[in-house]
Amino acid sequence: MSEPAKICGCISSGGEGVLTGMKEKQARFYVASIAMVLDYMHNLRVVYRDLKPENVLLDAQGYIKMGDFGFAKVLEDRNRTYTFCGTPGYVAPENVLATGYNTAVDWWSLGVLIYVLLCVKQPFGDPSEDPLTIMLRIINTSFEVQYPSFLSTDAVNVITRFLQRKPSMRLGATREGLKAIKSHPWFAGFDWDLLEARKMTPAIDPKLLVRDTRRLQAFEDDKKPPKPSAKADRVFSDF
Ligand SMILES: *[C@@H]1O[C@H](CO)[C@@H](O)[C@H](O)[C@H]1NC(C)=O
Ligand SMILES: *[C@@H]1O[C@H](CO)[C@@H](O)[C@H](O)[C@H]1NC(C)=O
């Protein structure tokens, strides 16, 4: 059985070894689809906790399918959970700090995912770095994410809104929920109804994807479920 197509295969190579991100218009199709899936899960009080390009599969038509629900959890009465889990580059600060978190962590990860799709690198560091270093940047309020100049102002803004450290103010996690995402300027003119009806032409035809493993490597994180080390426990207990 061949591996299913994943959105990380939708990246074009701008020549020998040069990776370029998706066009913003293409990324919008996937990000809108993921936002609708997360909204659906959150309404069922399920927090997904492992959003990253490797877990977003494509069906034969080119629509997304979320895979790997290994970290998904149904939230209990207080709608909060404490266990640290996720993938280092994608976890929200409140997850790293284990002070209790809710479905807002998935919207943070969506911000990371948009950055990765457009920039072909992670905002808080390279997956080859020590996960601890990456997570220290995530909780460091002085750390500033660098946005390449080729990104549109609206793209930078939508990523910034998802990478909002205060969960209750994070795009998607505010009272307006999905509505606030739909009305963000980055989605101006995007036909959400057409997408929901599956009548939109998918951004990329999966049959045209080149399964170039070198391209995928830019996205590959440590496949092992990350566990906070004893060292991490000590470091984070100071926050
Ligand atoms: C938990 O979330 C659900 C769905 O968003 C909501 O209806 C419920 O009131 C929340 N419960 C608490 C205790 O906040
Ligand atoms: C937080 O980030 C700032 C800016 O990058 C850096 O100067 C500072 O050393 C970092 N603090 C910690 C505790 O890593």
Side-chain angles (χ1 to χ4, degrees):
M1 212 178 84
S2 68
E3 281 255 309
K6 297 178 180 184
I7 59 169
C8 26
C10 302
I11 301 296
S12 56
S13 174
E16 191 55 39
V18 181
L19 289 160
T20 54
M22 264 181 208
K23 293 191 174 65
E24 289 188 22
K25 189 169 179 287
Q26 295 172 323
R28 199 153 29 226
F29 171 80
Y30 299 113
V31 174
S33 306
I34 296 165
M36 286 176 64
V37 174
L38 290 179
D39 181 61
Y40 175 81
M41 282 196 253
H42 293 172
N43 283 329
L44 297 171
R45 302 175 65 178
V46 172
V47 54
Y48 179 63
R49 303 199 289 189
D50 203 17
L51 182 63
K52 52 182 174 178
E54 298 99 300
N55 285 344
V56 185
L57 316 176
L58 297 177
D59 67 15
Q61 264 182 285
Y63 280 90
I64 69 148
K65 260 183 195 292
M66 301 292 288
D68 196 348
F69 280 70
F71 286 147
K73 177 176 172 154
V74 180
L75 294 174
E76 305 299 342
D77 292 349
R78 291 181 57 239
N79 289 345
R80 289 173 90 73
T81 188
Y82 296 86
T83 330
F84 172 82
C85 74
T87 300
Y90 292 82
V91 290
E94 69 272 20
N95 186 344
V96 176
L97 295 167
T99 47
Y101 61 88
N102 58 22
T103 50
V105 296
D106 289 334
W107 298 120
W108 173 281
S109 306
L110 185 57
V112 176
L113 183 139
I114 303 172
Y115 186 98
V116 172
L117 292 183
L118 299 178
C119 308
V120 208
K121 61 180 182 181
Q122 293 185 7
F124 296 98
D126 192 84
S128 65
E129 284 181 282
D130 178 2
L132 187 61
T133 307
I134 295 174
M135 292 191 293
L136 281 170
R137 285 189 200 117
I138 291 170
I139 59 170
N140 181 347
T141 51
S142 306
F143 178 79
E144 284 180 26
V145 171
Q146 298 300 312
Y147 293 96
S149 56
F150 59 78
L151 293 181
S152 71
T153 313
D154 289 338
V156 173
N157 187 272
V158 80
I159 297 168
T160 311
R161 293 284 294 108
F162 281 123
L163 298 182
Q164 156 65 247
R165 289 170 187 284
K166 201 159 179 237
S168 61
M169 287 170 62
R170 193 172 297 154
L171 189 60
T174 62
R175 249 172 221 290
E176 290 114 345
L178 184 64
K179 239 193 233 162
I181 299 174
K182 288 184 173 178
S183 57
H184 188 281
W186 195 58
F187 288 103
F190 185 83
D191 192 338
W192 290 81
D193 295 333
L194 201 67
L195 175 67
E196 191 164 7
R198 284 180 72 101
K199 286 184 177 156
M200 190 173 273
T201 307
I204 295 168
D205 180 348
K207 286 188 287 294
L208 303 178
L209 288 186
V210 182
R211 306 269 174 90
D212 181 343
T213 52
R214 264 184 332 168
R215 290 180 198 180
L216 299 184
Q217 267 164 15
F219 294 94
E220 288 299 316
D221 257 306
D222 193 349
K223 289 289 184 193
K224 293 186 295 284
K227 274 186 272 164
S229 60
K231 193 177 156 207
D233 282 346
R234 276 200 310 279
V235 172
F236 297 124
S237 68
D238 291 342
F239 288 90

